[in-house]
């Protein structure tokens, strides 16, 4: 992509992994796409109808820079009701998606050369966002033998005088693992010891199948050093609405506001109204949605573990499964290609989520059980997977 009119940092063309997967989905007419985490369920009619009622009432203009005041109050109510945790209004900033929130957060806190520790396997765009903000991603590899929990002793060896923040994602994409309270407490103590920020990627809070979700910001001494990223995309099946939020100390929120003023101005007003009704009606709209995805992910895990050369940890959260393919004796790119070419099932090679993702492929259980059944029936006919 070298061109005199293109910024030099983009001269070395790097195709995003998800863009590659999107093209692969078009290879066969009957591909079952288990690659992307876009829930197949439609946003609940309660949310849609209420949002469009608000649009007809005139909620089609810019909102306050930090977000609709009514939504900010609902966010405060949510944290108090769910976690008995007080969030102040000046700690809230509404964004156009979780990815937008992440970009604003990194741009708001990082100076050139600042380091951010990420635990891998990680969400694909962490490294991109950190580099975009001028920072340096530092990778902490996590392993299945350790339950993909963060090893805080190894993490501490990565801390330097340039370390600014630690990213924590739980429930985790791509592993589906939920970090234990002990893990979170250990990270919190490390952050306090070295005076670091924690960027808590809390995108899948509703999908914690075992122990209740624990917000990092609610741990002792962490309110003043945690930036919480939320999105309505997965917890409320609202990917296309593009709305999320940041909860952070007021100085960080002010910096984020300065960044966003030149980027987005305000999140879409109608999407913010939808978010209000999502929170208010969560006790109605979330349980059947969560139960459906939980049923799918446990079904998928059983089918995977029934195949001789594949395995996966018991599901803990999210609707993702990171499948161990090491018994196949091939790298994850070849394994993903094998499954696509012979079963017409699309997966994501684990290397997309960092070097320690080698030996794995990820699936998203965002298809109904009947479709998942067809996918695994096809895979069971691939000799390399079962013999």
């Amino acid at each position: 992509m070298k061109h005199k009119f293109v910024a030099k940092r983009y001269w070395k063309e790097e195709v995003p992994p998800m863009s590659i997967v999107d093209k692969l989905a078009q290879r066969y007419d009957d591909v079952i796409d288990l690659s992307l985490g876009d829930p197949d369920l439609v946003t609940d009619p309660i949310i849609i109808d209420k949002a469009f009622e608000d649009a007809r009432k005139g909620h089609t203009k810019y909102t306050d820079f930090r977000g609709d005041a009514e939504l900010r109050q609902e966010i405060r109510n949510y944290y108090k009701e769910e976690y008995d945790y007080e969030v102040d209004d000046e700690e809230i900033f509404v964004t156009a998606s979780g990815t937008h929130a992440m970009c604003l957060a990194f741009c708001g806190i990082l100076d050139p050369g600042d380091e951010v520790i990420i635990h891998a396997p990680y969400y694909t765009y962490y490294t991109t966002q950190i580099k975009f903000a001028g920072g340096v991603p530092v990778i902490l590899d996590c392993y299945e033998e350790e339950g993909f929990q963060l090893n805080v002793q190894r993490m501490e060896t990565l801390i330097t005088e340039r370390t600014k923040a630690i990213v924590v994602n739980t429930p985790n994409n791509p592993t589906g693992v939920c970090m234990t309270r002990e893990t979170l407490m250990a990270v919190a103590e490390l952050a306090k010891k070295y005076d670091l920020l924690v960027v808590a990627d809390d995108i899948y809070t509703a999908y914690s199948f075992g122990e209740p979700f624990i917000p990092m910001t609610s741990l002792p001494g962490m309110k003043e050093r945690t930036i919480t990223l939320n999105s309505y995309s997965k917890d409320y099946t609202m990917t296309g609405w593009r709305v999320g939020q940041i909860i952070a100390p007021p100085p960080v929120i002010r910096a984020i506001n300065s960044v966003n003023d030149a980027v987005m101005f305000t999140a879409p007003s109608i999407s913010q109204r939808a978010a209000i009704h999502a929170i208010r009606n969560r006790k109605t709209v979330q349980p059947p949605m969560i139960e459906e995805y939980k049923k799918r992910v446990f079904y998928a895990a059983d089918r995977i573990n029934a195949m001789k050369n594949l395995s996966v940890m018991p599901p803990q959260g999210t609707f993702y499964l990171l499948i161990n393919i090491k018994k196949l004796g091939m790298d994850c790119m070849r394994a993903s290609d094998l499954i696509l070419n012979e079963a017409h099932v699309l997966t994501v090679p684990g290397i997309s989520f960092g070097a320690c993702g080698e030996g794995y492929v990820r699936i998203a259980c965002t298809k109904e059980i009947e479709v998942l059944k067809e996918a695994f029936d096809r895979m069971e006919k691939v000799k390399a997977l079962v013999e």
Side-chain angles (χ1 to χ4, degrees):
M1 200 161 59
K2 185 175 181 180
H3 191 280
K4 64 180 180 180
F5 294 144
V6 174
K8 291 182 177 62
R9 63 179 176 272
Y10 296 117
W11 278 12
K12 183 181 179 182
E13 187 169 7
E14 295 181 5
V15 181
M18 294 305 174
S19 296
I20 297 173
V21 169
D22 188 54
K23 291 181 180 179
L24 289 175
Q26 303 169 30
R27 184 177 293 179
Y28 303 105
D29 292 337
D30 62 342
V31 165
I32 297 177
D33 188 352
L34 303 183
S35 65
L36 299 181
D38 189 0
D40 60 330
L41 300 181
V42 175
T43 303
D44 193 282
I46 294 173
I47 299 170
I48 296 172
D49 293 344
K50 295 280 188 183
F52 276 86
E53 284 177 20
D54 287 349
R56 294 187 186 95
K57 292 175 182 176
H59 288 279
T60 57
K61 301 180 182 297
Y62 294 132
T63 67
D64 181 90
F65 289 172
R66 288 194 296 111
D68 188 309
E70 200 172 342
L71 174 55
R72 299 201 311 266
Q73 184 59 49
E74 288 298 331
I75 293 167
R76 297 183 66 197
N77 294 344
Y78 170 86
Y79 273 87
K80 182 62 178 176
E81 293 167 8
E82 295 292 330
Y83 309 114
D84 194 25
Y85 179 73
E86 297 283 353
V87 175
D88 298 328
D89 180 71
E90 60 267 29
E91 296 174 323
I92 300 171
F93 192 94
V94 180
T95 64
S97 80
T99 304
H100 180 221
M102 186 194 312
C103 183
L104 294 178
F106 287 137
C107 286
I109 66 172
L110 296 180
D111 288 312
D114 281 349
E115 296 174 354
V116 180
I117 297 174
I118 307 166
H119 58 96
Y122 52 76
Y123 174 61
T124 309
Y125 295 107
Y126 288 157
T127 55
T128 307
Q129 296 267 26
I130 291 167
K131 291 175 184 177
F132 179 80
V136 178
V138 177
I139 309 303
L140 170 70
D141 288 337
C142 299
Y143 303 103
E144 186 174 2
E145 297 76 28
E146 299 172 339
F148 287 118
Q149 295 289 316
L150 283 72
N151 185 307
V152 179
Q153 288 71 39
R154 285 204 306 272
M155 179 181 285
E156 188 167 14
T157 67
L158 301 177
I159 295 173
T160 72
E161 69 278 0
R162 293 309 306 267
T163 306
K164 186 68 172 285
I166 300 166
V167 174
V168 176
N169 174 216
T170 181
N172 181 257
N173 174 15
T175 65
V177 164
C178 295
M179 301 302 159
T180 65
R181 183 178 184 87
E182 291 71 25
T183 295
L184 296 178
M185 288 292 291
V187 173
E189 291 307 310
L190 200 65
K192 287 184 282 187
K193 178 179 178 181
Y194 290 95
D195 195 21
L196 303 176
L197 282 165
V198 172
V199 178
D201 184 354
D202 291 359
I203 303 301
Y204 297 92
T205 58
Y207 299 94
S208 185
F209 301 141
E211 296 298 317
F213 174 76
I214 303 170
M216 174 65 77
T217 187
S218 69
L219 297 179
M222 291 305 293
K223 184 181 180 73
E224 61 268 28
R225 64 176 68 254
T226 302
I227 300 173
T228 302
L229 311 180
N230 290 120
S231 168
Y232 295 78
S233 291
K234 310 304 167 68
D235 277 2
Y236 297 96
T237 314
M238 292 173 60
T239 54
W241 294 84
R242 311 315 293 143
V243 61
Q245 70 207 35
I246 301 170
I247 297 172
V252 175
I253 292 294
R254 289 194 290 271
I256 285 168
N257 192 20
S258 296
V259 175
N260 189 64
D261 192 44
V263 175
M264 191 73 181
F265 205 58
T266 70
S269 59
I270 191 60
S271 296
Q272 294 191 56
R273 299 306 298 181
I276 290 170
H277 299 298
I279 296 176
R280 285 179 182 167
N281 294 280
R282 66 185 183 277
K283 301 296 186 183
T284 300
V285 304
Q286 281 189 326
M289 175 191 72
I290 296 164
E291 186 58 33
E292 173 63 21
Y293 287 117
K294 180 180 179 180
K295 180 172 67 174
R296 295 179 188 183
V297 80
F298 275 87
Y299 170 80
D302 286 343
R303 292 295 303 269
I304 291 162
N305 285 324
M307 288 184 241
K308 182 179 179 181
N309 293 324
L310 301 181
S311 64
V312 68
M313 290 175 54
Q316 297 177 21
T318 76
F319 38 64
Y320 301 112
L321 292 174
L322 195 65
I323 304 170
N324 188 320
I325 52 91
K326 295 176 183 178
K327 288 184 180 179
L328 294 177
M330 62 181 73
D331 64 40
C332 63
M333 294 292 290
R334 287 181 59 204
S336 186
D337 214 41
L338 170 75
I339 295 169
L340 175 60
N341 289 329
E342 296 199 22
H344 293 190
V345 174
L346 185 61
T347 64
V348 182
I351 199 74
S352 303
F353 310 106
C356 69
E358 182 55 80
Y360 298 86
V361 298
R362 191 199 74 176
I363 65 168
C365 299
T366 50
K367 305 292 184 185
E368 58 188 0
I369 291 285
E370 290 75 13
V371 178
L372 291 174
K373 180 180 184 303
E374 172 63 21
F376 295 120
D377 286 350
R378 292 185 192 179
M379 289 171 63
E380 285 178 343
K381 295 176 182 176
V382 180
K383 289 185 177 181
L385 305 182
V386 297
E387 294 184 0

